[in-house]
Amino acid sequence: MPPCRGRNHAHSDVMETDQSPFDEMLAAAEIARDPYRDYYDWFAGEEPRRLRQKSAEAETVFRRTGITFNVYGQSEADERLIPFDIVPRIISAREWARLERGIHQRVRAINAFLHDIYHRQEILRAGRIPKEIVAANDAFLPEMIGLSPPGGVYTHIIGVDLVRTGEDDFFVLEDNARTPSGVSYMLENRETMLQMFPELFTKLKVRPVSAYPQLLRRSLAQAAPESSPNARPVVAVLTPGIYNSAYFEHAFLADQMGAELVEASDLTIEDGRVAMRTTRGHTPIDVLYRRVDDDFLDPLTFKPESMLGVPGIMDVYRAGNITIANAPGTGIADDKALYSYMPEIVEFYTGERPILQNVPTWRCSEKDALAYVLDHLAELVVKEVHGSGGYGMLVGPAANKRELAEFERKLRARPSNYIAQPTLALSTVPILTRAGLAPRHVDLRPFVLVSPQGIEITPGGLTRVALKKGSLVVNSSQGGGTKDTWVLGDEN
């Protein structure tokens, strides 16, 4: 078997599905691990009927609040409630401290990498990653070459997807450096749990996450252009509109930050600035937190047919008169083929060994790797390099012969469009079922804010859970749900 591509990718480092997954709550039958001990004792004293009632109440709250997402390409109702499970995922202070160091290191490296590839391209000159993985990448924007965003920040908001396979074994599954979503669910999950079980937060001393919108506003304001005349920078959130799958989040964050929620039709270019229409006339914007993809951002620079962007905004950006968060061209850091080089990227820009390891990865663009993947398709997870949301992927062990054959044809036709990874035995956290607690696989998306003043990592993040028994797919679009994530204080 050929090794997985990339440094630190020893195949034996990761547990696979023929091994029992790590149970985050129980060390053995009826014996809770340290982070869960107080919760487990509390749970044992609760009436199952009361807990099921609380679960139903939580669903009612989410439905009343309108916490939904849209599903594309489905014949049934396209707007759905994201299932929420009331059993929290609990992380100790010690576990979180290590994750925080690893995330901080990785985010520094990503920002340094993005600056480098749009300027001197030292990492390419050094031969640490092949030139074609950047030059031939659809997410690489030549329009950003030589352009430095205000404050030197490319990725103002990052989501780093983590999976766990053992007590001290955490791996980065992917980076979300373009427009990471899900933070509104993290905040609403916490608010709901505080309402349902206030006594637990005193008992377990859970670290708060409620300050995120204020921290986001502050972080964005700190990245405002130096040319801004405003003592308090004007921040707005650009949404594609109500039919976007994450529209609830766009509206939620704008409201929580005290920022305006705008669409392209609300914006114009005036005196070399981007301005939004208000009841008092046009108000110049300093920072635009955009939830619109690069291709649609400016019809004069990218797709001419786009109705979602602002004609001329890239000219304003080049002149240094607006901050776009995240910066155009950051999507290359989301690329799953580039992901396989992240250990090299971290070492190159930080001079340190990666604290958090990658999942072993085969790049199907390479002949030997493709041959191995085709021979072992039924054992692997195969993903599109630009894919997201669980779409366009194959989970080999769960696929039937027809699905495997169809994916083989796709791989042979466009091998460079795919990477493959072993099927990990993701850790489990219990969910509440009518029969009691049952283990389900989870991942974790911590949210990171980057400004010229530094990096802030929200304690915890969004835990996504595969609600179907045995399923490894946690995406809400594929039947997954969410949980509240509790990071314990030092005294626990």
Side-chain angles (χ1 to χ4, degrees), residues 118-140:
Y118 288 116
H119 290 81
R120 289 188 56 81
Q121 300 190 338
E122 297 286 359
I123 197 167
L124 304 185
R125 296 168 190 261
R128 298 298 295 271
I129 63 175
K131 291 181 181 179
E132 60 270 16
I133 207 160
V134 172
N137 198 303
D138 291 341
F140 178 74

Side-chain angles (χ1 to χ4, degrees), residues 353-399:
R353 300 282 288 179
I355 296 168
L356 293 173
Q357 298 300 312
N358 270 20
V359 176
T361 301
W362 288 272
R363 295 187 284 270
C364 297
S365 58
E366 299 174 9
K367 185 177 179 181
D368 289 349
L370 176 62
Y372 178 80
V373 171
L374 289 171
D375 285 345
H376 297 82
L377 202 54
E379 306 162 19
L380 303 173
V381 175
V382 186
K383 303 175 183 177
E384 292 182 350
V385 293
H386 295 303
S388 63
Y391 294 106
M393 67 183 285
L394 174 83
V395 181

Side-chain angles (χ1 to χ4, degrees), residues 171-400:
F171 294 84
V172 178
L173 189 62
E174 63 184 51
D175 303 288
N176 297 275
R178 193 169 0 200
T179 52
S181 62
V183 74
S184 58
Y185 306 122
M186 174 191 80
L187 294 168
E188 289 289 0
N189 288 353
R190 176 59 55 85
E191 183 63 28
T192 301
M193 290 293 282
L194 279 165
Q195 290 179 31
M196 299 291 171
F197 309 107
E199 72 280 9
L200 278 173
F201 288 85
T202 303
K203 184 181 179 69
L204 272 70
K205 299 179 175 61
V206 181
R207 291 181 61 182
V209 298
S210 58
Y212 178 88
Q214 290 71 44
L215 294 174
L216 173 60
R217 166 121 200 171
R218 186 181 73 183
S219 183
L220 292 172
Q222 288 171 345
E226 291 184 5
S227 62
S228 169
N230 300 313
R232 188 172 190 262
V234 176
V235 178
V237 179
L238 175 63
T239 177
I242 60 172
Y243 297 108
N244 183 266
S245 63
Y247 180 77
F248 166 80
E249 177 157 297
H250 307 165
F252 176 89
L253 287 175
D255 179 63
Q256 292 291 307
M257 282 196 292
E260 293 295 329
L261 180 68
V262 297
E263 297 183 31
S265 57
D266 301 316
L267 302 178
T268 188
I269 307 298
E270 192 173 87
D271 299 326
R273 305 280 303 278
V274 176
M276 60 183 172
R277 188 189 306 114
T278 71
T279 55
R280 298 179 301 279
H282 287 108
T283 300
I285 294 169
D286 299 302
V287 182
L288 190 65
Y289 176 21
R290 53 88 176 225
R291 300 298 291 262
V292 172
D293 288 343
D294 289 348
D295 284 350
F296 302 96
L297 194 55
D298 184 344
L300 299 185
T301 302
F302 305 116
K303 286 191 173 183
E305 67 273 21
S306 172
M307 302 294 289
L308 303 177
V310 185
I313 190 173
M314 284 300 292
D315 290 334
V316 178
Y317 188 59
R318 289 186 195 98
N321 290 332
I322 192 169
T323 295
I324 298 175
N326 287 343
T330 55
I332 191 169
D334 291 4
D335 183 88
K336 292 179 177 63
L338 184 79
Y339 157 92
S340 64
Y341 290 98
M342 276 305 297
E344 284 88 347
I345 290 171
V346 170
E347 284 189 21
F348 188 82
Y349 296 107
T350 68
E352 305 162 353
R353 300 282 288 179
I355 296 168
L356 293 173
Q357 298 300 312
N358 270 20
V359 176
T361 301
W362 288 272
R363 295 187 284 270
C364 297
S365 58
E366 299 174 9
K367 185 177 179 181
D368 289 349
L370 176 62
Y372 178 80
V373 171
L374 289 171
D375 285 345
H376 297 82
L377 202 54
E379 306 162 19
L380 303 173
V381 175
V382 186
K383 303 175 183 177
E384 292 182 350
V385 293
H386 295 303
S388 63
Y391 294 106
M393 67 183 285
L394 174 83
V395 181
N400 58 39

